[in-house]
Amino acid sequence: MKKLTLRVAEITALSPLVKRFRLIHPDGAPLPLFSGGAHITVDMPEGDLIRRNSYSLVSNPYDGAGYEIAVRREDRGRGGSLYMHTRVSEGDLLTVSAPKNLFQLDLRARKHVLIAGGIGITPFLSQLHQLDILQQPYELHYAAHSRSEAAGLTLLPDAPHIHLHISEEGSRMDLGAILDGQPLGSHVYTCGPDGLIRAVADQAARLNWPTSAIHSEAFTAPPPGEPFEVTIASTGQHLRVGADQSLLEALEAAHVPVDYSCRGGACGRCETGVSACNGQILHHDHWLSPDEQASQTKIMPCMSRFKGARLELDL
Amino acid sequence: MPTVEFSPSIDSRPTYAPLKSHGSAPAIMVADTAGADALLDLMASDSAVTDKAQIVLIAPASDKLARMDLMVKTPVHTTPDLDTAGPLVRQLLSTARMGTQMYLAGSEGMMGALCALATACGLPMDAIQTEHRGTAARRMQCVHCKGITEDVTTDPFECSHCGLTLFVRDHFSRRIGAFQGVCVDAETPGLIPTTQEIRP
Ligand code: FES
């Protein structure tokens, strides 16, 4: 996987909990361009552990002068965002992946309806640049608890097709009103908590939207949890997965190669067979079907954990 | 008219299934006279399907039009042929909103042409249902001159625009709504296989 070593040029607080990091090439060389909705994976080394989280790019996809990501501090997370908030300073070098996109715009659409909840605004920030350049019609609905939590606010233009829904101020997002009566050829994109993604999909289905016009991305980082053990079937090796470590990170630390891309349970790349399972796989991915999850014969190590006596991976 | 069984082919070749009601969702329904039976079957399966439907019949036989008129509350639009149906369907699509379903029934040529028109207007493929009825004739595009020949029933056939003898492929362009016809004697000029009737 192609990696880039970039310098942190600037850190800006966008809200009390969200910081924006601007990354540039140390020699000032141009970076690969990307497309709206793309993300990069950031390496966060701590001791002999490397944690990796993916963050959506929020900068202009056509501008190779730098990449910008916005990171929300999750105090109850596994420490990835805390690392970014407390350990990374301007001038530091970070190793990141080249941009990848699992949430691109469907450019056949006649109109794009973008729905963001909280920090789920991030992929849309790069998409807005792309939509403006392509001059494609869109509207954005951005829901947040309070104005001070709406970190994207400072990065959004004040335009009539950008709608803010602040629940603290009593302006809740009405999905029925947003989706009903949209012109033929509209596509809807949702990024935010699972509940919002489900609510948009349900509402669109009730209005008979075809599924090809409904897109979403969950922006989750791997959750922490109780430590657990896994066995590698081919070697009999036992690995311990720490509370603040994902299974994928534990496999990487033990030099057991597993392919990955999103590290957020969305792309399917890290899918791994389970050859024995005595206990409960805690599936946190958006990749496996409910039936596959229930069968406990596959696991997505970037997100999912385990509770029980024995989990053997077909590796 | 019995439904036609198509032989299995490459993925490119469109397949058809009986129309299934999407309830009272806004709908645009278009059928030729053979396809009108499929619309009548659909309406018999769920009368709500016509609640917000616009119905266009292309050159319908008078008995079918009369039966359709009895089934629906709104007036049925009729057009003499596919060429005149196009602008009418385009106009219906121009005011349609997301959630609109399209039901097409009849010949492959008509459904291919209207699918292409509807997707060009922004309707996603998965909002369009197609049920084949009637002729197995194909709408063919000549890959050389790009001209369209309607109602092709033999393989090979002569392109109605450039006159080349074309082999009938199963390769279908959804954007154009036509099968692709390729010069059959390009390598061996004049050596033309015997003409056969197109099998479904
Ligand atoms: S790396 Fe994408 S699903 Fe695990």
Side-chain angles (χ1 to χ4, degrees):
Chain A
M1 188 165 302
K2 193 167 150 37
K3 298 267 182 177
L4 303 164
T5 303
L6 303 181
R7 186 173 304 287
V8 180
E10 196 187 352
I11 302 177
T12 326
L14 298 179
S15 78
L17 287 179
V18 178
K19 281 185 180 174
R20 178 179 55 179
F21 298 78
R22 180 172 174 80
L23 312 174
I24 58 168
H25 194 281
D27 306 329
L31 301 176
L33 302 183
F34 54 99
S35 52
H39 65 268
I40 53 174
T41 304
V42 180
D43 284 13
M44 298 176 274
E46 248 186 322
D48 37 73
L49 244 174
I50 301 185
R51 212 178 267 129
R52 293 189 177 92
N53 275 7
S54 296
Y55 296 105
S56 298
L57 290 157
V58 299
S59 47
N60 185 341
Y62 300 95
D63 179 7
Y67 290 156
E68 292 175 3
I69 55 175
V71 179
R72 183 188 145 95
R73 199 180 81 211
E74 305 289 352
D75 291 326
R76 291 203 313 246
R78 231 166 26 109
S81 66
L82 270 182
Y83 178 98
M84 292 298 293
H85 271 252
T86 58
R87 306 277 291 273
V88 176
S89 319
E90 289 179 0
D92 286 358
L93 290 176
L94 285 182
T95 303
V96 307
S97 70
K100 292 165 282 184
N101 200 342
L102 294 171
F103 194 46
Q104 57 276 68
L105 295 163
D106 189 326
L107 297 176
R108 293 167 301 183
R110 288 301 180 87
K111 178 180 177 186
H112 306 267
V113 179
L114 316 176
I115 299 180
I119 193 66
I121 187 69
T122 52
F124 296 128
L125 295 170
S126 62
Q127 289 182 345
L128 293 195
H129 289 285
Q130 188 178 350
L131 289 168
D132 280 336
I133 288 166
L134 299 175
Q135 302 213 319
Q136 294 216 6
Y138 70 87
E139 62 186 59
L140 169 74
H141 296 267
Y142 177 22
H145 279 300
S146 65
R147 257 167 217 278
S148 70
E149 268 189 34
L153 213 50
T154 49
L155 303 178
L156 288 172
D158 186 13
H161 51 287
I162 292 186
H163 307 270
L164 192 62
H165 306 270
I166 302 289
S167 51
E168 201 185 65
E169 296 171 10
S171 105
R172 288 195 148 266
M173 191 146 71
D174 179 350
L175 295 176
I178 291 171
L179 294 179
D180 199 7
Q182 289 289 356
L184 213 60
S186 300
H187 281 238
V188 64
Y189 307 78
T190 314
C191 184
D194 280 344
L196 179 65
I197 291 173
R198 233 176 299 121
V200 172
D202 287 351
Q203 182 63 54
R206 266 199 295 282
L207 293 168
N208 295 298
W209 284 47
T211 47
S212 67
I214 306 169
H215 314 269
S216 67
E217 177 166 75
F219 56 87
T220 33
E226 282 168 33
F228 59 96
E229 274 204 4
V230 291
T231 308
I232 309 301
S234 61
T235 60
Q237 198 180 351
H238 294 290
L239 298 184
R240 198 184 128 83
V241 183
D244 288 337
Q245 201 180 24
S246 71
L247 172 54
L248 179 59
E249 288 163 353
L251 291 166
E252 286 169 341
H255 306 289
V256 179
V258 176
D259 199 11
Y260 72 86
S261 176
C262 70
R263 303 182 83 92
C267 73
R269 280 280 272 281
C270 67
E271 186 178 301
T272 300
V274 169
S275 41
C277 173
N278 179 5
Q280 182 77 38
I281 298 176
L282 309 170
H283 295 285
H284 298 299
D285 63 278
H286 298 270
W287 177 257
L288 298 174
S289 69
D291 285 348
E292 286 175 316
Q293 292 193 342
S295 75
Q296 304 218 98
T297 54
K298 289 174 183 172
I299 186 168
M300 307 308 286
C302 66
M303 288 295 283
S304 300
R305 307 185 70 85
F306 175 71
K307 195 179 172 70
R310 181 179 159 82
L311 179 68
E312 187 185 81
L313 300 180
D314 189 11
L315 286 171
Chain B
M1 186 163 310
T3 46
V4 180
E5 281 278 344
F6 289 97
S7 31
S9 180
I10 53 174
D11 284 350
S12 172
R13 199 222 185 293
T15 53
Y16 307 97
L19 300 176
K20 276 220 283 300
S21 169
H22 232 283
S24 58
I28 298 171
M29 304 179 175
V30 190
D32 55 24
T33 199
D37 293 328
L39 286 188
L40 287 165
D41 289 350
L42 172 72
M43 294 165 187
S45 77
D46 177 10
S47 61
V49 76
T50 58
D51 281 1
K52 288 184 225 142
Q54 299 272 5
I55 300 156
V56 180
L57 292 185
I58 300 169
S62 53
D63 60 318
K64 302 224 174 138
L65 180 58
R67 279 173 61 202
M68 189 79 67
D69 274 331
L70 285 179
M71 296 284 280
V72 300
K73 293 145 226 139
T74 48
V76 174
H77 311 274
T78 59
T79 69
D81 52 28
L82 178 60
D83 284 346
T84 43
L88 173 59
V89 173
R90 190 189 299 277
Q91 191 217 322
L92 294 174
L93 285 163
S94 71
T95 53
R97 301 273 126 188
M98 277 307 276
T100 301
Q101 306 295 311
M102 187 169 224
Y103 300 91
L104 302 175
S107 74
E108 289 205 86
M110 179 274 284
M111 294 192 291
L114 293 183
C115 267
L117 186 150
T119 48
C121 291
L123 192 70
M125 264 322 235
D126 50 341
I128 306 174
Q129 290 188 50
T130 49
E131 176 169 345
H132 179 267
R133 294 281 178 121
T135 167
R138 294 188 182 191
R139 182 167 190 258
M140 298 296 305
Q141 185 195 43
C142 170
V143 304
H144 310 283
C145 78
K146 307 298 172 196
I148 300 270
T149 305
E150 302 280 356
D151 294 326
V152 172
T153 54
T154 64
D155 177 19
F157 71 101
E158 190 174 297
C159 171
S160 60
H161 299 261
C162 69
L164 282 177
T165 306
L166 303 179
F167 157 58
V168 172
R169 292 204 57 205
D170 273 353
H171 179 181
F172 185 83
S173 162
R174 281 167 176 72
R175 185 175 60 83
I176 298 160
F179 288 96
Q180 307 292 289
V182 183
C183 182
V184 77
D185 59 342
E187 306 293 332
T188 53
L191 207 67
I192 292 174
T194 42
T195 303
Q196 294 184 331
E197 201 169 324
I198 291 180
R199 290 179 308 114

